[in-house]
Amino acid sequence: MNIDRRLALMLLAAPVLFILAFFAVPFGVVVLESLHTSGGAWGMSQYVKLFSSWFYLETLWFTFKIALWVTVASFLIGYPLAYYMTRIVTSRWLRRLLYIIVITPLFTSNIVRSFGWMILLGRRGLVNDTLLATGLIDQPLQLLSNELSIIIGMTYIMTPFMVLTITAVLQNIDTTLEVAARDLGANWLTTFTKVTFPLSLPGVVAGTLIVFTLTVSAYVTPSILSGGKKTVMSMLIFQQYASIFDFRFGATLSVTLLITTLLLITLYRLAGKPCARKPEQGIAT
């Protein structure tokens, strides 16, 4: 074994041990815990309990539905903003200012941001007061304690991750490719759809995966903005561990959420492979 290989193994040793100690081993414990019955014997009764109840299945579906909507909303907001920052803005100081504006919310606690949205979306909050003052509505809208409030709050929290991920890819795309497309007669829309967007797909895929997985596991924002009227899987898991003290069923919920998320991510990656192709050559009007 040469020196370079030994050095590489030594450098890999620390992160591998860290992953084993703080992820693999705890996850293995959780999996084993979920395979025990309430009496302590081995069995699948906890999974039978989960999949035989519509309440838990509906909660699982609601969790992924929220994550999907947040991912779509973050993409629709984040991609144009990332494109504007990397392609439209030419001033260096203005671009830095936009980066600061995007990054600054990440330094604020999710709890603070969630309570901020409670103030904005309340019956006497800024949104309802503005709509009432302009005469667009006659009575305050119910914007809190529902699915919409969770989507709004989570989109606000997750959009910076989408922007930063897509921006990192867009700023590394060779602009001469876009110039060449325009020289060949392509308009802005054709250049974007045939060159820029396909080349930025790695950032889109990475951003959507980050937003989706973080939203699926989010606890603070859904629990605050839902007002207890809507339940996601993370809230159920917390209840099982902290309130009911049913660690075995809490482990079952955790394993089911993780495995289902990994399965959906795998299907998403497989479905996205055919789309990850190079821009078409010979662009013409």
Side-chain angles (χ1 to χ4, degrees):
M1 181 180 295
N2 55 38
I3 297 178
D4 292 339
R5 186 179 294 273
R6 289 179 181 178
L7 180 60
L9 292 176
M10 291 175 61
L11 293 175
L12 286 174
V16 169
L17 291 175
F18 181 86
I19 293 174
L20 289 175
F22 295 100
F23 177 76
V25 173
F27 179 67
V29 173
V30 171
V31 172
L32 293 176
E33 191 73 15
S34 69
L35 296 175
H36 283 83
T37 64
S38 56
W42 292 92
M44 300 290 293
S45 60
Q46 302 294 342
Y47 289 95
V48 174
K49 175 183 176 181
L50 191 156
F51 288 103
S52 61
S53 172
W54 279 109
F55 171 74
Y56 299 119
L57 295 179
E58 288 177 355
T59 303
L60 184 65
W61 161 248
F62 179 74
T63 301
F64 288 118
K65 183 173 70 171
I66 289 291
L68 179 61
W69 278 114
V70 171
T71 303
V72 172
S74 298
F75 169 74
L76 294 178
I77 297 173
Y79 196 100
L81 181 56
Y83 185 88
Y84 176 78
M85 292 168 59
T86 56
R87 288 293 188 270
I88 307 300
V89 176
T90 57
S91 174
R92 181 173 298 180
W93 70 267
L94 179 57
R95 184 176 299 175
R96 290 178 178 176
L97 177 62
L98 292 174
Y99 272 110
I100 293 173
I101 294 174
V102 171
I103 295 175
T104 298
L106 298 178
F107 294 96
T108 307
S109 170
N110 287 348
I111 298 176
V112 175
R113 286 185 280 179
S114 299
F115 278 110
W117 277 109
M118 289 185 66
I119 297 174
L120 291 174
L121 300 177
R123 292 184 61 84
R124 300 303 304 175
L126 179 62
V127 175
N128 273 316
D129 285 348
T130 301
L131 294 175
L132 288 170
T134 56
L136 295 177
I137 58 175
D138 297 326
Q139 57 184 0
L141 300 175
Q142 181 61 38
L143 300 176
L144 278 177
S145 303
N146 52 31
E147 182 177 337
L148 177 62
S149 62
I150 301 175
I151 294 174
I152 292 175
M154 290 303 303
T155 300
Y156 169 72
I157 292 173
M158 295 301 166
T159 298
F161 295 101
M162 183 72 73
V163 174
L164 294 176
T165 307
I166 296 177
T167 299
V169 177
L170 282 175
Q171 65 186 6
N172 289 321
I173 295 177
D174 190 355
T175 56
T176 58
L177 297 174
E178 299 172 347
V179 174
R182 293 192 181 97
D183 289 341
L184 292 173
N187 55 28
W188 176 88
L189 181 60
T190 303
T191 302
F192 175 78
T193 56
K194 300 294 185 180
V195 179
T196 308
F197 186 73
L199 290 175
S200 66
L201 279 179
V204 174
V205 172
T208 52
L209 288 177
I210 292 173
V211 171
F212 184 83
T213 53
L214 290 178
T215 305
V216 164
S217 60
Y219 169 77
V220 173
T221 301
S223 61
I224 292 176
L225 295 181
S226 68
K229 296 182 180 180
K230 296 291 183 179
T231 305
V232 295
M233 287 295 290
S234 58
M235 297 168 62
L236 275 183
I237 294 170
F238 178 81
Q239 291 172 5
Q240 296 298 320
Y241 277 104
S243 302
I244 304 176
F245 300 107
D246 189 349
F247 301 128
R248 293 186 174 90
F249 192 63
T252 304
L253 294 174
S254 302
V255 173
T256 302
L257 179 62
L258 177 60
I259 292 178
T260 308
T261 303
L262 292 176
L263 179 61
L264 291 175
I265 291 174
T266 302
L267 294 176
Y268 174 70
R269 294 299 302 273
L270 292 176
K273 282 185 178 181
C275 298
R277 55 187 178 84
K278 295 182 178 180
E280 296 180 8
Q281 299 178 354
I283 300 175
T285 54

